[in-house]
Amino acid sequence: MSSADNRRIVREGRRNGGGKEKGFFQKVHSPPSPLNDSLEGEIQAFLIDEDQLHTYDDLTKVNPVTPSTVLKCLQARYSVKVFYTHAGCTLVALNPFQPIPDLYTLDVMKEYHGAPQPQEFKPHIFIVAEEAYRNVQGQLEPVNQSLVVSGESGAGKTWTSRCLMKYYATVAASSSVVKSQDTVERIERRVLDSNPIMEAFGNACTLRNNNSSRFGKYIQLQLDRCQLLVGASVQTYLLEKSRVACQLANERNFHIFYQMMKMATDEQRKEWKMPPGQCFVWLPNSEKTVEEDCFHETVEAMVHLGINTERQRQIFRILAGILQLGNVNFYSSTDESQPCNLDEQSKDFSQRAAELLCVPAEELQMCLRVRMLKAGKQSVLKPCSQAECSMRRDCLAKVIYAQLFDWLVTFINNSICADKSTWCNFIGVLDVYGFECFQINNLEQLCINYANEKLQQHFVSHYLRAQQEEYVSEGLEWSFVKYQDNQSCLDLLEGSPVSVFSLLNEESRLNRVSDAKTLRVRLEKELCDNANISWDKFSKEPHFTVAHYAGKVHYQIQGMVEKNKDPVPPELSSLLQKSDNPLLHQIFTDKETENPTTKGLSKVTVVSKFKNSLESLMKILHTTTPHYTRCIKPNPDCKPLTFKKEEVIMQLEACGIVETIHISAAVLTCPAVVSQLDLLEDQRKKILSQCAFTIQCCWLKHRRRRHHARHQSIICKVFLFLWQALLKSLAEAELDDAEDLAEEDLPVLNPVIRERGSVQLSSIQKPVTVRGWPMGLALASAPSITMSLTATGFQKMVSVMASLHLPSQRGAYTVKPNQFSQELASIRAQPKGSVKLHYQRSPLLYADRQPDMKSDVTGFNAILLEKTL
């Protein structure tokens, strides 16, 4: 291992709280050595040609691979507006912070989708998408794929996920057959329309990102056996519902509230009781306009997904009612035995909120200011303090919004999810909140950063560790590339028997008022041996500091236990169940049915619920083939085309990009591997050439057969037309009085005549010779008779034998027609010495031309031909 690696490892170890490295011990700085000088010389030699740095589309080509050389290449590419770069198995995506429309057009999608080798094109998110799509197609047993999009808040994960969904909705429907085209377009449009709705209700403007996802989502794009998109499903994780009632300085509430306020019509404002100029406490920074303030786009997506006008009306009235609640303020009463007071303005806002939520105004005010205590079988009403009233108001708003969000997700899934019998594989797109570190961090940031730790571990275990172990097992001469293992941090957060989460849950389940200082003491006592947690003993506020893989974060303990409990007073739930708003009534009636009230230790905390859902997600990821995209935020202020080295290098080191490049580059430079790759590539070209030749031969053969079949079909049709015309003209010339013939009494056929095989028709005493037409046989009028076919003259004999494929030897055939049951034609001429008969259909289509070779044969309109012995 080089000294540069040692220095990098020491730096990472210090930044991550002194955590242990996997497979080695930390190194200390040593005096400069000739090896250091040599490496510095290589770095300078590589960086001296700055004009060529932007041409490195794969960072495995960089030599030497160091944080500084990787950083310089990314900076050079960013300066010429190249935002995607390969890094071994990972794609690095730098956020330009400005629209680049030409990079994601339909033509670009088709170009990457139709390319024989997309990897030979310029790095792009569409290469990752196409590789996953072809992986599903190219396996003997198709394997589900997962696209893991990671990065800190503001790095561009949401946009990247949106591009991936658009790509699959386009290419997975492009090969659909005509009859299903309408269905496919409907499905792909619904899948895409789920995005603006979920972003409107689940994203917000934060300090680090104007369109920050305040929830995590895993979208399964469902494919049928033909790899066509037939549906999708969305699984969500931990909506930051506290944002509804509490926004940090310079941040905003969820987008949907600002869309309503800015884009509503006069009629809608009147219905929502939002007059122009009305200010709402829970809508700070409303003067700020962002690209996502598109109310019409949200409404249009609702329509496409099947949310009708009346249901939309119910949704927006609920949202408007939440905003009115935020303007209700409480004042302590001089008499402690009396509920808190409301001023006239707050009474007006509470009245509006009650009308919009369709609940009684008096009962709403009572539930917010008075709580119900149970003493045995009796219930006691106790006035709430001013702080408790505000907490109950916030709780009401949060629970309404969270349940409305869950209902929307369920509705979307019902609208776009395909029946299990119609799809067999999926491509998953994971878009979760990025790593966060604010001035004040609480339970939400702890859960978000825990999720990022789990994803980082997935990357480490799948690639940095598993890939190297596989190389060793295959006999390659391999020196392990060292990497930062975050297992110790995960043990701190979720480990057994004691961890941050277990202690937090224990404190939350105790039937007492939580105390931040008590929890801090327990954390310090139980977890002091873990190097990833620390405390600032001089801080006045109880807190703890966790050394995450991406950096240290200070977490405020105050309020963390209450957020973890997430209590909903039963009287508030009862109030909402009585709502006359059909949607609100349905949501809380169903919630009560699915989640009956629980008590004591059985109560599920926020941390427990989130941990379980995240474990389910990890199980899905482990059963799929992952594809990694690392989104990088080039500057903290979201300025277009601005590259801050310090900001970028921290992200590169935190997510292990340099280690990834080391491993991929080492594999590519290993002589044995290079030799094997050359052989495999040569063999691959030979096989592809053979396959191409085989396909061309089959195609030419197929075309010739089709041409021959068309030619034969045309000849048959022409002949059939001429034949039918001929029969029609003969029939018209020979029409007779068949009814008179049918009325005559038929004599009994003489046994001698029967034995000879001649035909006796009507009242004629003598056997009648029945002439055979060149392309047909004669029929009789009787239901069941036996007749002999005779032909005189050489040309007629040849004609009969040719039409019937009769063997050219002496032998007689008897014909047994059944006029009624076999749909035979009737005699069209009176017998005068001889009888002429013909068919209704062409014998070429129905004749069995070799009857003696089959036991049960039909032909000539089901006439049976039997060889006479």
Side-chain angles (χ1 to χ4, degrees):
M1 183 171 57
S2 67
S3 299
D5 290 329
N6 292 341
R7 292 198 303 274
R8 172 172 47 78
I9 291 163
V10 171
R11 181 169 61 255
E12 290 181 352
R14 287 183 174 180
R15 181 169 47 78
N16 287 276
K20 293 182 180 180
E21 297 293 332
K22 189 71 175 180
F24 63 93
F25 298 99
Q26 292 187 27
K27 304 289 184 179
V28 296
H29 285 289
S30 57
S33 65
L35 185 60
N36 291 343
D37 295 337
S38 175
L39 180 62
E40 291 297 332
E42 291 179 11
I43 295 174
Q44 293 302 321
F46 176 79
L47 298 178
I48 195 171
D49 194 2
E50 293 186 2
D51 294 339
Q52 297 300 315
L53 293 180
H54 71 278
T55 63
Y56 288 87
D57 56 2
D58 193 332
L59 296 176
T60 58
K61 301 175 183 177
V62 173
N63 188 21
V65 177
T66 67
S68 58
T69 56
V70 170
L71 181 68
K72 279 288 187 180
C73 285
L74 291 176
Q75 184 178 19
R77 292 174 66 80
Y78 193 74
S79 64
V80 295
K81 297 185 178 182
V82 178
F83 309 109
Y84 291 109
T85 308
H86 291 302
C89 69
T90 304
L91 180 71
V92 176
L94 291 165
N95 194 339
F97 291 117
Q98 69 177 23
I100 312 290
D102 294 339
L103 202 56
Y104 308 99
T105 63
L106 184 61
D107 290 337
V108 175
M109 293 183 191
K110 292 180 178 178
E111 184 179 6
Y112 279 92
H113 181 57
Q117 295 293 327
Q119 293 81 2
E120 298 176 358
F121 282 44
K122 294 181 180 179
H124 200 291
I125 188 61
F126 293 159
I127 290 182
V128 180
E130 184 62 24
E131 181 181 359
Y133 187 65
R134 294 189 184 187
N135 274 9
V136 177
Q137 287 182 312
Q139 305 294 326
L140 293 177
E141 293 185 3
V143 179
N144 297 324
Q145 309 287 307
S146 285
L147 301 171
V148 182
V149 183
S150 62
E152 67 174 57
S153 181
K157 299 184 301 302
T158 298
W159 171 259
T160 300
S161 300
R162 199 186 301 170
C163 289
L164 290 170
M165 291 182 65
K166 178 66 175 177
Y167 184 84
Y168 288 125
T170 301
V171 304
S174 60
S175 57
S176 60
V177 293
V178 176
K179 66 179 181 180
S180 64
Q181 189 65 40
D182 294 340
T183 303
V184 172
E185 289 181 353
R186 178 180 61 83
I187 291 171
E188 68 179 19
R189 178 158 190 174
R190 288 192 174 200
V191 170
L192 295 178
D193 281 333
S194 66
N195 266 335
I197 296 177
M198 299 196 72
E199 288 186 19
F201 284 82
N203 289 21
C205 182
T206 67
L207 293 172
R208 299 179 64 83
N209 185 4
N210 284 345
N211 189 32
S212 177
S213 297
R214 308 318 302 163
F215 70 106
K217 64 176 179 290
Y218 183 69
I219 304 170
Q220 284 188 346
L221 302 173
Q222 300 159 346
L223 306 175
D224 64 10
R225 295 187 183 277
C226 298
Q227 311 310 126
L228 299 180
L229 181 66
V230 295
S233 66
V234 182
Q235 186 174 353
T236 59
Y237 306 93
L238 191 69
L239 175 71
E240 188 191 31
K241 61 183 179 182
S242 60
R243 181 170 293 271
V244 173
C246 180
Q247 305 83 33
L248 297 178
N250 298 319
E251 291 197 350
R252 301 202 322 175
N253 209 323
F254 291 103
H255 292 322
I256 186 63
F257 292 113
Y258 298 91
Q259 292 179 3
M260 291 173 59
M261 188 179 69
K262 293 182 177 183
M263 307 296 292
T265 63
D266 292 339
E267 184 180 353
Q268 287 173 327
R269 286 183 175 278
K270 183 178 180 180
E271 181 181 4
W272 300 339
K273 306 184 186 303
M274 296 171 58
Q278 175 71 60
C279 294
F280 293 98
V281 175
W282 287 347
L283 286 189
N285 303 303
S286 58
E287 70 284 353
K288 182 176 182 178
T289 301
V290 296
E291 182 182 350
E292 287 69 28
D293 290 342
C294 266
F295 185 56
H296 298 306
E297 183 178 349
T298 303
V299 173
E300 185 179 3
M302 285 182 167
V303 173
H304 293 159
L305 283 169
I307 302 178
N308 57 40
T309 304
E310 180 57 29
R311 189 62 92 189
Q312 291 178 33
R313 180 172 173 270
Q314 296 166 12
I315 292 172
F316 295 134
R317 285 179 65 86
I318 292 172
L319 295 173
I322 290 175
L323 290 180
Q324 302 292 343
L325 275 178
N327 285 9
V328 177
N329 294 314
F330 304 94
Y331 301 93
S332 299
S333 174
T334 55
D335 186 355
E336 294 183 357
S337 63
Q338 297 298 316
C340 288
N341 297 321
L342 297 174
D343 59 22
E344 291 302 320
Q345 197 172 22
S346 292
K347 288 180 180 178
D348 183 44
F349 284 122
S350 66
Q351 180 68 32
R352 294 184 192 178
E355 292 177 5
L356 290 167
L357 298 176
C358 299
V359 296
E362 298 79 6
E363 191 171 349
L364 172 62
Q365 293 183 15
M366 180 64 69
C367 290
L368 294 178
R369 296 184 299 161
V370 178
R371 61 175 175 163
M372 183 181 297
L373 301 177
K374 287 193 174 182
K377 295 183 179 180
Q378 294 184 345
S379 297
V380 179
L381 298 179
K382 181 180 178 181
C384 298
S385 65
Q386 182 181 3
E388 290 173 337
C389 290
S390 298
M391 187 180 298
R392 291 168 77 87
R393 174 202 60 200
D394 296 352
C395 177
L396 180 63
K398 290 187 293 185
V399 72
I400 292 175
Y401 193 83
Q403 292 302 315
L404 178 60
F405 183 82
D406 288 345
W407 179 87
L408 278 170
V409 173
T410 302
F411 188 94
I412 289 173
N413 280 331
N414 291 337
S415 176
I416 65 177
C417 188
D419 186 84
K420 188 63 179 74
S421 62
T422 63
W423 63 276
C424 54
N425 292 100
F426 68 83
I427 297 177
V429 179
L430 179 63
D431 175 22
V432 296
Y433 11 56
F435 183 83
E436 292 187 347
C437 180
F438 301 124
Q439 288 185 345
I440 300 176
N441 304 284
N442 209 280
L443 183 66
E444 294 86 357
Q445 282 67 46
L446 180 63
C447 291
I448 288 172
N449 293 340
Y450 164 65
N452 280 269
E453 290 283 357
K454 295 288 285 187
L455 292 176
Q456 177 65 12
Q457 186 201 41
H458 179 263
F459 175 75
V460 167
S461 62
H462 181 81
Y463 189 76
L464 299 183
R465 183 189 304 126
Q467 289 291 91
Q468 297 193 80
E469 292 174 352
E470 182 180 351
Y471 298 151
V472 173
S473 67
E474 292 176 353
L476 296 180
E477 296 180 3
W478 186 262
S479 297
F480 266 82
V481 176
K482 307 304 177 181
Y483 55 87
Q484 177 68 30
D485 194 335
N486 65 335
Q487 185 59 52
S488 59
C489 183
L490 285 171
D491 291 340
L492 169 70
L493 297 176
E494 65 173 4
S496 179
V498 180
S499 64
V500 172
F501 287 165
S502 67
L503 294 175
L504 183 58
N505 284 337
E506 286 182 17
E507 191 70 23
S508 301
R509 287 167 177 157
L510 295 175
N511 191 18
R512 69 183 185 191
V513 178
S514 62
D515 180 62
K517 293 182 179 179
T518 302
L519 179 57
R520 183 210 179 277
V521 171
R522 288 202 66 191
L523 290 170
E524 187 171 4
K525 179 181 177 181
E526 301 287 350
L527 303 173
C528 59
D529 293 336
N530 193 304
N532 288 78
I533 190 170
S534 59
W535 297 267
D536 182 1
K537 296 183 179 180
F538 298 101
S539 175
K540 296 181 180 179
E541 294 291 335
H543 78 284
F544 61 93
T545 302
V546 176
H548 291 284
Y549 76 94
K552 292 184 176 181
V553 180
H554 305 284
Y555 295 101
Q556 185 183 70
I557 299 178
Q558 187 68 42
M560 188 173 286
V561 174
E562 285 301 318
K563 287 184 177 181
N564 192 40
K565 290 180 179 179
D566 195 24
V568 178
E571 49 267 33
L572 293 182
S573 297
S574 299
L575 174 67
L576 295 173
Q577 291 173 23
K578 301 175 185 177
S579 172
D580 291 332
N581 182 308
L583 178 58
L584 198 58
H585 173 77
Q586 174 191 335
I587 289 174
F588 282 91
T589 302
D590 293 345
K591 179 175 182 292
E592 183 66 20
T593 303
E594 296 172 3
N595 303 308
T597 305
T598 58
K599 297 181 180 179
L601 296 178
S602 62
K603 180 175 176 58
V604 179
T605 63
V606 170
V607 164
S608 297
K609 186 176 179 180
F610 180 66
K611 184 172 178 289
N612 291 337
S613 62
L614 198 57
E615 287 176 353
S616 299
L617 171 64
M618 301 312 298
K619 288 181 181 178
I620 295 175
L621 293 181
H622 282 300
T623 60
T624 62
T625 300
H627 305 263
Y628 303 99
T629 299
R630 296 288 192 178
C631 296
I632 301 295
K633 187 176 184 179
N635 68 82
D637 303 317
C638 304
K639 293 182 179 179
L641 301 177
T642 302
F643 193 95
K644 297 289 185 181
K645 296 180 181 179
E646 300 80 5
E647 182 83 8
V648 175
I649 196 66
M650 287 179 61
Q651 296 173 66
L652 292 176
E653 292 180 340
C655 62
I657 288 294
V658 178
E659 288 85 351
T660 303
I661 300 169
H662 267 300
I663 293 173
S664 300
V667 173
L668 294 176
T669 56
C670 179
V673 174
V674 173
S675 176
Q676 290 296 324
L677 286 176
D678 290 340
L679 291 175
L680 290 173
E681 185 63 26
D682 291 340
Q683 187 66 17
R684 174 177 168 275
K685 290 180 179 178
K686 291 180 181 179
I687 294 175
L688 287 177
S689 179
Q690 292 174 357
C691 293
F693 179 74
T694 303
I695 292 172
Q696 289 172 351
C697 291
C698 293
W699 174 245
L700 289 174
K701 187 176 181 180
H702 172 70
R703 288 185 61 187
R704 287 173 182 171
R705 283 181 174 176
R706 290 185 62 185
H707 177 74
H708 180 70
R710 288 198 190 104
H711 183 68
Q712 290 293 95
S713 176
I714 292 172
I715 293 175
C716 290
K717 287 179 180 178
V718 171
F719 181 81
L720 177 60
F721 174 77
L722 295 174
W723 176 246
Q724 289 176 341
L726 175 61
L727 292 180
K728 184 177 180 181
S729 63
L730 291 173
E732 291 175 351
E734 298 171 0
L735 284 176
D736 57 14
D737 189 7
E739 294 180 358
D740 297 338
L741 179 65
E743 293 174 357
E744 296 180 4
D745 295 330
L746 297 177
V748 179
L749 191 65
N750 189 296
V752 177
I753 298 177
R754 179 189 301 276
E755 184 177 356
R756 292 179 180 176
S758 296
V759 175
Q760 183 176 356
L761 298 176
S762 188
S763 60
I764 300 176
Q765 299 301 321
K766 296 180 180 181
V768 179
T769 302
V770 182
R771 299 192 311 180
W773 291 91
M775 299 300 291
L777 283 178
L779 303 180
S781 61
S784 177
I785 66 171
T786 300
M787 72 180 98
S788 65
L789 173 65
T790 62
T792 59
F794 177 76
Q795 290 184 348
K796 291 185 177 180
M797 286 293 296
V798 173
S799 175
V800 171
M801 293 174 64
S803 65
L804 298 179
H805 277 196
L806 297 175
S808 57
Q809 63 184 15
R810 298 187 65 181
Y813 286 81
T814 59
V815 181
K816 293 184 179 179
N818 188 314
Q819 182 174 349
F820 300 103
S821 63
Q822 302 297 337
E823 300 181 2
L824 303 178
S826 62
I827 296 175
R828 306 306 297 273
Q830 295 248 357
K832 295 179 180 179
S834 64
V835 180
K836 299 178 182 179
L837 304 168
H838 61 268
Y839 287 86
Q840 288 181 336
R841 298 181 180 177
S842 167
L844 293 180
L845 297 179
Y846 301 97
D848 190 330
R849 299 186 296 180
Q850 293 185 351
D852 58 320
M853 297 183 181
K854 301 177 183 177
S855 59
D856 183 17
V857 294
T858 60
F860 288 141
N861 287 341
I863 298 175
L864 300 179
L865 298 178
E866 296 179 355
K867 186 173 182 180
T868 303
L869 298 176

